[in-house]
Amino acid sequence: MSQREPEIHDVVGVGFGPSNLSLAIALQECRTSGPDQEVSALFLERQPSFGWHRNMLLPSATMQISFLKDLVTFRNPTSSFSFVAFLHASGRLPRFVNNQDFFPTREEFHQYLEWAQARVADRVEYGSEVRSIRLVPGGAPEADRLRLDVAGSARRAGRVVEARNVVVSTGLVPNMPEGTERDERVWHSSEFLEKYRRTDPPKLRRVAVVGAGQSAAEITRFLYDELPHAEVYSVIPSYGYSVADDTPFANQVFDPGAVDDYYFGTEQTREAFWRYHRNTNYSVVDDEVIRDLYRRAYDDEVRGVERLRFLNLTRVTGVKRVGAETRVSLQVGPDAEVRELDCDALVCATGYRGMEPTGLLGDLDRHCLRDGAGRYRIERDYRVVTDPELTCGIYLQGGTEHSHGLTSSLLSNIAVRSGEIAGSIVARRAGRNAGRPVAVPVEVGGDLH
Ligand code: FDA
Ligand code: NAP
C-alpha cells in the first residue's frame, strides 16, 4: 500500500491493555454472529510486547478481583477466552480449584492475559505509539474518518492509519508528590521492578516508600523481604494502613448494574458513591498485606531489631539530592512539623491520575463537548459527545469516573463495557448504512455473541 493511501479500519484502539484486549475479543465474537456484524479493527500499543503493569509483578501479589471478572465472562459466560478456559488449556484447572481461592496471583493473571492476546495478535501492532488523532487534512468534521499518527519503532517506520471510530484506552497516569522529580534514585511505583533491578541491592542501606495504598504496602513488604540488611521506611499520610472494603454489599458498586445507577443518578447519588465507597479502591490495602506487615514489624520488635519503620501522619513535600543521598522533606503530624530523611532510594507509591486523552486529541478536542466542570460529556455507550457534524466515534475506556463511576479505571466491568462499546459501534454503523437515526443499545450485561 502506498503512503498516500493509509489503511482504513472501522475501529482503531489506542493502547492495548486489558480494556482494549477485552474489546478485541468482543469484536471477534461479533464476527461470528454474521457478516453484517463484522467490524475491521486494529489495536496500537506502544510497548514492544504485551505487558500489564509489569513493574508491579511482585512475588505473591494477588488480584483484587475474582477470576470470574476476566476479559469476557460477565458478557459471555460461554466464551472460549475465559480465565477458566485458560486454566483448562494450561492443564491446571483441577489444581486451581483445589486452591479454593477467588483471587489468583497477578503473575498467573498476567499469563492469562498473554494467552488471550496471542489469540487476537493478528489485529495488534506492538511498538506503535499513537502521537495524535486528528481530522483527515482538508476533510470536514462530517467526513467519516479520523487520522492517527503512529510513531515509528526499531522494527517499523512511522505511519498514519485511518479509523471510523477510535477507542482510547491509554491507562492511568502516574502521580508524583509535588516538587518531586523522578530519577535513578527516586521512582514511581509504576517503574518499580525495572528501577530496582538496575540497583546493586547490598548498597541499598536505607530505602523509603511513600503512600498508604496497595502499591505502597506491597513494595514495602517486598523491600523488607529482599533487603535483610536495610532499614525500610514507610511514609504514610494516615495513622496506619486502612483495609480495602471488599465485603459483599460494598462490592456491589462494581456490579455492571451500578454503572446505570451512577450514570443516570443525580449529583447527590453520585456523590454518595464516592463518599461511602472510595475505600473499596483508593488509599486502601488488602487485609492480608496489612497483617503481613504488622507481623514482620512485631517479630522484629520481639527480636530487638527495628528496621521496618512507619512514619505515620506524614507527607512528602519535596526531594533533593545531597551527595550520594536523596534527602526527602517531610511534613509530620497535625502541626505540619518539617523533618528530613536521607535514603538511598525513594519509591513514590503515590497513586495515579485518571486517563487523560486531551493531548492525543489535539485540535480535535474542540469538537468534544464538556460539562460545566470542564469534563468530557460521555454518552452511556462511552462515546464522547461531539459537535453534531463530527460523525466519527471517539470512545473512552478509562477517564470516565465522573460519568460512569468507580469501575472506569478497573478491571471489574471490562467484559460488559467492551460489549457495550462493540454493540454501539455495530449498531451505529448499521443505522448509518440504513440512513436512519441511530438507536444505540444499552446492553448492561448484554450478550453479543
Ligand atoms: P492499562 O494501563 O492496563 O493499559 C493501557 C495501555 O495503553 C498500556 O499498555 C500503555 O502502554 C498503552 N498506551 C498508553 N499510551 C499509548 C499511546 N499513545 N499509544 C499506544 N499505546 C499507548 N484493577 C482491578 O480491577 N483489579 C486488579 O487486580 C488491579 N490490579 C492492579 C495492579 C496494579 C499494580 C495497578 C497499577 C493497577 C491495578 N488495577 C487493578 C487497575 C488498572 O487500571 C487495571 O487493572 C487495568 O490496567 C486497566 O486496563 P486498561 O487497559 O484500561 O489500562
Ligand atoms: P492509591 O490507592 O491512590 O494510593 C496512593 C497513596 O499515596 C495514598 O495513600 C495517598 O494518600 C498517598 N500519597 C499521595 N501523595 C502523597 C504524599 N505527598 N506524601 C505521602 N503520601 C502521599 O494508589 P495505588 O496504591 O498505586 O493503587 C492504585 C490502583 O492500583 C488501585 O486500584 C489499587 O487497587 C491498584 N493496585 C492493585 C494491586 C494488585 O492488584 N495487587 C497492586 C497495586 C495497586 P492520600 O490519599 O492522603 O493522598
Side-chain angles (χ1 to χ4, degrees):
M1 189 175 283
S2 95
Q3 277 193 324
R4 275 175 294 154
E5 293 171 30
E7 55 191 274
I8 303 166
H9 297 273
D10 291 318
V11 183
V12 172
V14 184
F16 199 64
S19 300
N20 268 350
L21 170 55
S22 176
L23 176 65
I25 297 167
L27 290 170
Q28 170 154 319
E29 291 183 352
C30 278
R31 281 184 185 182
T32 54
S33 50
D36 58 322
Q37 306 276 300
E38 191 152 325
V39 170
S40 67
L42 174 70
F43 292 89
L44 299 165
E45 166 58 50
R46 70 181 171 193
Q47 295 186 83
S49 59
F50 184 84
W52 174 58
H53 302 303
R54 275 186 189 276
N55 287 320
M56 282 294 291
L57 281 180
L58 304 176
S60 75
T62 57
M63 292 299 294
Q64 298 204 292
I65 45 161
S66 158
F67 67 86
L68 291 169
K69 292 188 174 179
D70 59 18
L71 296 165
V72 290
T73 298
F74 273 35
R75 174 180 57 79
N76 175 11
T78 63
S79 170
S80 70
F81 283 88
S82 67
F83 187 75
V84 171
F86 157 74
L87 287 173
H88 185 257
S90 319
R92 283 204 299 269
L93 183 55
R95 297 211 299 128
F96 180 84
V97 172
N98 288 340
N99 269 332
Q100 300 184 16
D101 195 343
F102 260 129
F103 304 98
T105 59
R106 291 199 56 240
E107 186 184 5
E108 186 171 28
F109 204 76
H110 201 281
Q111 286 179 14
Y112 159 61
L113 296 173
E114 286 183 309
W115 167 85
Q117 69 81 31
R119 295 175 60 200
V120 293
D122 58 328
R123 268 146 287 154
V124 189
E125 281 173 14
Y126 290 102
S128 298
E129 177 166 4
V130 176
R131 290 279 168 80
S132 70
I133 306 169
R134 54 194 168 100
L135 291 171
V136 174
E142 57 273 11
D144 74 341
R145 299 199 297 265
L146 295 171
R147 185 168 274 196
L148 293 91
D149 294 297
V150 187
S153 68
R155 281 186 304 182
R156 183 188 277 278
R159 65 201 182 107
V160 294
V161 295
E162 290 185 358
R164 297 186 183 89
N165 298 279
V166 291
V167 183
V168 181
S169 186
T170 49
L172 296 164
V173 181
N175 175 54
M176 292 292 283
E178 222 172 294
T180 309
E181 297 295 330
R182 302 193 221 176
D183 62 23
E184 280 311 299
R185 301 292 188 90
V186 180
W187 319 328
H188 186 265
S189 54
S190 58
E191 51 186 358
F192 175 68
L193 280 177
E194 187 192 341
K195 288 280 177 78
Y196 176 75
R197 287 185 188 124
R198 280 194 225 153
T199 65
D200 182 7
K203 289 199 177 140
L204 297 176
R205 311 297 303 181
R206 184 187 277 173
V207 293
V209 183
V210 190
Q214 184 71 20
S215 299
E218 285 183 9
I219 290 171
T220 303
R221 181 175 64 177
F222 174 88
L223 289 172
Y224 177 86
D225 292 348
E226 290 290 307
L227 304 173
H229 56 280
E231 285 182 302
V232 180
Y233 281 80
S234 171
V235 180
I236 59 182
S238 52
Y239 199 69
Y241 300 109
S242 293
V243 72
D245 186 350
D246 69 343
T247 51
F249 288 106
N251 219 43
Q252 293 180 129
V253 293
F254 302 117
D255 288 354
V259 176
D260 275 342
D261 290 333
Y262 193 93
Y263 187 88
F264 297 111
T266 60
E267 272 310 312
Q268 200 187 359
T269 56
R270 280 200 265 262
E271 209 262 319
F273 268 87
W274 288 104
R275 185 153 42 96
Y276 291 111
H277 301 295
R278 197 177 184 278
N279 69 342
T280 51
N281 185 50
Y282 290 106
S283 309
V284 286
V285 182
D286 282 351
D287 182 279
E288 164 241 332
V289 185
I290 295 178
R291 289 180 194 284
D292 268 8
L293 282 173
Y294 197 86
R295 169 57 67 184
R296 281 161 173 72
Y298 183 79
D299 288 349
D300 274 357
E301 196 178 325
V302 171
R303 291 186 212 112
V305 185
E306 203 192 335
R307 67 179 196 89
L308 183 52
R309 295 165 194 263
F310 298 97
L311 304 182
N312 297 353
L313 301 174
T314 304
R315 298 191 78 85
V316 166
T317 53
V319 175
K320 62 183 172 205
R321 178 64 62 80
V322 179
E325 299 273 6
T326 295
R327 183 159 295 168
V328 188
S329 303
L330 304 172
Q331 208 171 63
V332 186
D335 306 328
E337 184 195 331
V338 176
R339 282 199 217 153
E340 288 182 332
L341 173 70
D342 288 347
C343 55
D344 302 311
L346 177 74
V347 190
C348 296
T350 42
Y352 295 82
R353 285 172 278 120
M355 186 181 92
E356 183 35 89
T358 311
L360 271 180
L361 294 176
D363 231 23
L364 200 53
D365 192 66
R366 65 192 161 86
H367 296 284
C368 301
L369 307 189
R370 295 188 180 251
D371 66 15
R375 304 167 303 191
Y376 289 114
R377 284 175 53 200
I378 318 283
E379 297 186 41
R380 175 60 184 81
D381 58 358
Y382 302 94
R383 195 177 191 271
V384 176
V385 181
T386 56
D387 287 339
E389 70 266 23
L390 192 78
T391 54
C392 310
I394 302 167
Y395 291 81
L396 303 185
Q397 296 228 65
T400 60
E401 275 192 335
H402 61 287
S403 51
H404 291 68
L406 273 154
T407 50
S408 164
S409 67
L410 300 175
L411 301 178
S412 325
N413 196 43
I414 56 173
V416 173
R417 182 175 70 198
S418 296
E420 289 169 350
I421 292 174
S424 163
I425 289 169
V426 169
R428 285 177 186 269
R429 187 185 58 174
R432 256 195 315 275
N433 290 348
R436 59 173 191 265
V438 179
V440 180
V442 173
E443 296 182 346
V444 178
D447 201 343
L448 272 169
H449 65 117

